[in-house]
Amino acid sequence: MLSRTGRPLAKTIFGPIAHACVKLGISANTITVVGTFLTVITSLYFFPTNQLLLGFVIVSILVIFDNLDGQVARLTNSSSTWGAFLDSTMDRFADAAIFASFVAWGYTSASEPTRIWVMTGALAALVFGSVVPYARARAEGVGLTASVGIAERADRLVFAGICVLLVGFGLSHWFMAIGMWILAILSFITVIQRMHTVFQQCKAGESEGE
């Protein structure tokens, strides 16, 4: 949901930065790869070492800047199938690193009663969250659409960020534990929604072919 409604705002905020990148000769693919590398390194360092607030700030900035590559590609008329594939693949690396870092935080820093719940919840959120984009990609691969659901990438990252922020400000670690499980459930529901959407399209197609 947020990935669709936030695009006009992102274009307004980062438009000048995108123009600056074009003037400096920085390509969209370079921004994609460098941004992903920094996100992975930052996540896997700051969160497991319990530097939640600093990690939240830096990772949030990097994730927000993730839309720059698309803007630069449009400004330079360099949008391509390779660029879209690269961007989607790099997003999977970044998401996996972020949620893996939450698993690591649970192991290194979560309080004893919450540790197992944080770790398993973050792992479940990682697994189900990775299936969400796969379901859409697989649907598009067979000529259908599945861009629906209550927990798309932006929604999942914002929700996870709120959990990190709450714990970083000293609230109970249960906020992270429960939050990760809620996120896992929302991701699972999104997968079901996409599967249902594809099923309905397949069913409609079969009816038309009769």
Side-chain angles (χ1 to χ4, degrees), residues 47-175:
F47 293 137
T49 56
N50 203 31
Q51 300 181 65
L52 297 182
L53 293 180
L54 183 56
F56 169 83
V57 171
I58 297 176
V59 172
S60 294
I61 291 173
L62 290 171
V63 170
I64 291 172
F65 268 74
D66 180 60
N67 78 88
L68 266 181
D69 51 7
Q71 293 195 42
V72 170
R74 286 188 290 272
L75 288 172
T76 57
N77 293 318
S78 59
S79 299
S80 65
T81 301
W82 163 247
F85 171 82
L86 179 66
D87 182 60
S88 180
T89 302
M90 291 299 102
D91 283 348
R92 304 293 78 77
F93 274 117
D95 293 355
I98 290 171
F99 285 95
S101 72
F102 295 157
V103 176
W105 177 85
Y107 179 77
T108 61
S109 304
S111 59
E112 185 60 36
T114 65
R115 181 170 299 150
I116 188 65
W117 293 104
V118 171
M119 294 177 64
T120 55
L123 183 60
L126 191 162
V127 172
F128 292 132
S130 67
V131 180
V132 171
Y134 172 80
R136 176 176 176 175
R138 192 68 188 93
E140 293 175 348
V142 294
L144 304 174
T145 60
S147 56
V148 298
I150 59 175
E152 295 185 331
R153 183 175 189 252
D155 305 306
R156 298 195 302 274
L157 292 178
V158 168
F159 190 93
I162 292 173
C163 295
V164 170
L165 202 57
L166 291 174
V167 175
F169 277 120
L171 275 68
S172 172
H173 290 183
W174 281 111
F175 279 98

Side-chain angles (χ1 to χ4, degrees), residues 10-23 68 71 75:
K11 184 176 180 180
T12 300
I13 295 175
F14 298 109
I17 300 176
H19 281 87
C21 289
V22 172
K23 290 181 179 179
L68 266 181
Q71 293 195 42
L75 288 172

Side-chain angles (χ1 to χ4, degrees), residues 169-190:
F169 277 120
L171 275 68
S172 172
H173 290 183
W174 281 111
F175 279 98
M176 181 67 89
I178 296 173
M180 289 298 102
W181 274 106
I182 290 175
L183 191 54
I185 293 170
L186 293 177
S187 298
F188 178 75
I189 292 173
T190 302

